[in-house]
Amino acid sequence: MPGQESPASCDRLYAKDITVLDPQGLDICDLEGDGVPELFIKVKKSTTYHPECINRPFFFNFHDDSLYAKWTGSTFGDPFRDAYFINYFGDGRDLVFIVGLLPEGMRISAHAWQGFGFQFLGESPLYPWIGDLHKGEHGIVADLGGQTQEFILSGHGPERYLLEWPLAEN
C-alpha cells in the first residue's frame, strides 16, 4: 500500500505500483486450499454494466514474477464494506465472508471458490451495524455493535445459510 514499507523480514515476491487502481484493501488468501496464495484487491470503481461506484473484488494468482487475473467479478451480490478470508472447515481452503451494505442494514454472506467463480453458501439476517469478523470455536464471530454473535453455516446444498449461534456469557 502507498506509504507503507515492507518489513525487512519479509521476502518480496512481487513489486509493482498499483496506486493507479486506488486500492481500498489488499489481502492474501488460499481459495483452493492448495498452498498457493491468491492476492485479493478491493477497488472502489464503476464498471461498464454497473455504473455505481462501489467496492469491487479482484483476485489474482502470482506465477513467474507476474500477476494473472483469477476472478474479476463485479460484486459478490451485495455491495460490500469488507471481505474476510477464513479457513472455516479446516481443510486449507479459505471461504470468503462479506460484510454487505444494504439500504436497510448490513449482513454477512459466505462464498466458496468453485473452480471458475464463487458459490454463494448463505447469509445472515440484517443488522444495523456489523464490525470485524474472526474465526470462533464453531463458526464466524461478529461484533454487532456492543453484542458479539457467532454464526455457523447450516443446511445442505442450496439451502445453506448462516445461522446465529449465541455465544456463552462469561
Side-chain angles (χ1 to χ4, degrees), residues 13-15 34 36-39 59-70:
L13 296 177
Y14 183 82
D34 58 3
V36 178
E38 283 83 28
L39 173 66
F59 290 87
F60 295 90
N61 286 115
F62 178 77
H63 182 70
D64 291 334
D65 296 330
S66 295
L67 287 178
Y68 296 94
K70 180 181 189 86

Side-chain angles (χ1 to χ4, degrees), residues 127-147:
Y127 294 94
W129 185 84
I130 298 174
D132 291 341
L133 307 180
H134 65 274
K135 177 83 168 95
E137 185 177 343
H138 303 286
I140 302 307
V141 178
D143 172 8
L144 301 176
Q147 171 189 338

Side-chain angles (χ1 to χ4, degrees), residues 88 108 123-125 127 134-144 147-155 161-169:
Y88 184 89
I108 302 166
E123 62 190 18
S124 74
Y127 294 94
H134 65 274
K135 177 83 168 95
E137 185 177 343
H138 303 286
I140 302 307
V141 178
D143 172 8
L144 301 176
Q147 171 189 338
T148 302
Q149 187 70 51
E150 188 164 10
F151 296 85
I152 61 170
L153 283 169
S154 177
Y161 56 96
L162 283 171
L163 176 70
E164 293 184 44
W165 187 268
L167 289 175
E169 295 295 323

Side-chain angles (χ1 to χ4, degrees), residues 79-139:
F80 73 100
R81 183 193 71 201
D82 294 313
Y84 295 86
F85 302 95
I86 298 171
N87 183 359
Y88 184 89
F89 295 112
D91 60 0
R93 218 172 37 118
D94 288 331
L95 298 185
V96 183
F97 290 86
I98 300 298
V99 175
L101 300 169
L102 297 126
E104 44 298 330
M106 301 170 87
R107 68 177 163 209
I108 302 166
S109 63
H111 309 265
W113 179 254
Q114 294 296 317
F116 187 68
F118 287 92
Q119 176 186 8
F120 171 78
L121 299 178
E123 62 190 18
S124 74
L126 285 168
Y127 294 94
W129 185 84
I130 298 174
D132 291 341
L133 307 180
H134 65 274
K135 177 83 168 95
E137 185 177 343
H138 303 286

Side-chain angles (χ1 to χ4, degrees), residues 2-65:
Q4 295 179 344
E5 296 298 322
S6 298
S9 63
C10 290
D11 291 331
R12 182 176 288 195
L13 296 177
Y14 183 82
K16 184 174 181 177
D17 183 3
I18 61 170
T19 56
V20 68
L21 299 174
D22 189 22
Q24 303 297 300
L26 296 170
D27 208 342
I28 299 292
C29 55
D30 187 351
L31 298 175
E32 298 180 61
D34 58 3
V36 178
E38 283 83 28
L39 173 66
F40 166 75
I41 303 176
K42 177 174 72 171
V43 177
K44 190 169 191 166
K45 69 182 294 288
S46 62
T47 68
T48 302
Y49 298 107
H50 300 99
E52 184 180 6
C53 190
I54 61 172
N55 289 328
R56 308 235 182 239
F58 294 89
F59 290 87
F60 295 90
N61 286 115
F62 178 77
H63 182 70
D64 291 334
D65 296 330

